Amino acid sequence: MPYNPSARHSRWKQAVYQVVFEADTHAGQAFDVTLLWAILISVLVVMLESVQSINQQYGPYLRALEWFFTILFTIEYIIRLIVVRRPLGYAFSFLGIIDFLAIIPTFLSLIIVGSQYLLIIRTIRLLRVFRILKLSRFVGEAAVITGALKASRHKILVFLTSVVAMVVITGTLMYVIEGGKNGFTSIPQSIYWAIVTLTTVGYGDISPTTTLGKALASIIMIMGYAIIAVPTGIVTAELSRPYQKTYKHVICHVCQATDHEEDAEFCRKCGEKL
């Protein structure tokens, strides 16, 4: 049989692809578990670096570890681009973008001081745990929740628009009632107070002093508790509807899309055969 370097190269890519992108083999599981530990440790390093007392004593060691993990993740990212069939498809996928954002802050820190703390975005990469532990049922449940949110997005948009109008009106009323002498120095400042009060956060940095202002504040607080139930009811109503579709957690080897229907033979996103 004649030597075929391209076929051998393809087999090499396929073998590496199964290790890097799949978790069905022992090598793939070991790779992903090692990756998760590396992510956790790198995030811990970034957190410790932000503690001034620790940074003063162990700063050089922490920065060395930070660069070590960044180089490690950079090599991993390049390998993923090499072995995937469509590199651009992976690069612009959700996980591909997160993988890129997980390494770029360290390089940016050479130009912008402090940007390395954005490496905390690496925690999003822990989403791969669903694939590693084969928690496909959780992926299916996540698809149900996503479907409910999509189905109720117009209602939620109308609700949020009403809330915005409400805080603008009540904030303006409070500005008229209290005025600048009581801390309500402008309409935007008063709207800020209305948002804080309506959401029941209540920082207390601004508060009404007049009787009418306190009465309006009381109404807004009571309305805040009522408003919390509205989006919850909207989404719950959508969740209570029966969803007949079941999902399987198969990763498309071209675009990395997941959440395909149980009987799907082709990718829902790019049409490639699963």
Side-chain angles (χ1 to χ4, degrees):
M1 182 177 179
Y3 174 69
N4 188 347
S6 62
R8 184 176 180 181
H9 182 63
S10 298
R11 287 196 298 270
W12 172 81
K13 277 189 174 183
Q14 185 177 0
V16 177
Y17 178 89
Q18 290 177 351
V19 173
V20 174
F21 283 97
E22 300 293 343
D24 296 330
T25 63
H26 292 294
Q29 290 179 356
F31 174 83
D32 285 338
V33 170
T34 304
L35 178 63
L36 286 181
W37 276 109
I39 293 170
L40 288 172
I41 295 173
S42 66
V43 170
L44 179 62
V45 168
V46 175
M47 290 182 177
L48 292 176
E49 190 180 356
S50 66
V51 180
Q52 187 175 1
S53 58
I54 297 178
N55 190 17
Q56 288 177 351
Q57 188 172 0
Y58 302 103
Y61 301 102
L62 294 175
R63 281 187 284 276
L65 281 173
E66 183 182 305
W67 274 104
F68 168 77
F69 285 115
T70 297
I71 293 173
L72 183 68
F73 293 142
T74 302
I75 295 172
E76 177 223 348
Y77 179 72
I78 293 173
I79 291 175
R80 289 180 184 273
L81 291 176
I82 292 174
V83 300
V84 77
R85 184 175 297 181
R86 295 181 183 175
L88 286 179
Y90 166 72
F92 289 100
S93 66
F94 173 74
L95 289 177
I97 294 173
I98 294 301
D99 290 346
F100 176 77
L101 293 177
I103 60 177
I104 199 64
T106 303
F107 297 102
L108 285 177
S109 66
L110 298 174
I111 304 173
I112 305 174
V113 179
S115 60
Q116 70 271 18
Y117 297 121
L118 297 176
L119 289 173
I120 292 297
I121 200 173
R122 286 175 181 169
T123 53
I124 302 179
R125 300 194 69 195
L126 295 175
L127 292 173
R128 297 179 188 274
V129 72
F130 288 101
R131 177 167 62 88
I132 297 169
L133 301 180
K134 297 183 180 298
L135 302 179
S136 57
R137 63 184 182 275
F138 291 105
V139 177
E141 295 300 327
V144 172
I145 295 175
T146 303
L149 290 174
K150 288 182 179 178
S152 57
R153 64 184 183 276
H154 298 297
K155 297 176 184 177
I156 294 177
L157 180 61
V158 172
F159 165 75
L160 291 177
T161 304
S162 302
V163 172
V164 170
M166 187 182 304
V167 295
V168 170
I169 293 173
T170 54
T172 304
L173 285 175
M174 189 59 73
Y175 171 72
V176 174
I177 294 171
E178 293 292 328
K181 62 181 180 179
N182 294 324
F184 297 84
T185 56
S186 64
I187 291 179
Q189 180 80 347
S190 302
I191 292 174
Y192 156 77
W193 170 86
I195 294 173
V196 170
T197 305
L198 189 67
T199 55
T200 68
V201 177
Y203 290 132
D205 51 346
I206 309 173
S207 59
T209 57
T210 64
T211 302
L212 186 57
K214 291 180 180 178
L216 179 58
S218 300
I219 295 173
I220 296 174
M221 293 177 205
I222 295 173
M223 290 173 58
Y225 284 106
I227 283 176
I228 293 174
V230 175
T232 305
I234 293 173
V235 178
T236 303
E238 293 295 336
L239 285 173
S240 63
R241 296 183 181 181
Y243 285 85
Q244 301 297 332
K245 294 181 179 179
T246 56
Y247 298 87
K248 59 182 179 181
H249 191 40
V250 177
I251 301 176
C252 175
H253 63 281
V254 175
C255 68
Q256 311 306 309
T258 58
D259 304 341
H260 300 94
E261 294 184 26
E262 188 66 32
D263 57 349
E265 296 183 4
F266 299 92
C267 176
R268 60 178 177 80
K269 190 173 181 180
C270 67
E272 190 75 17
K273 186 174 178 59
L274 297 174

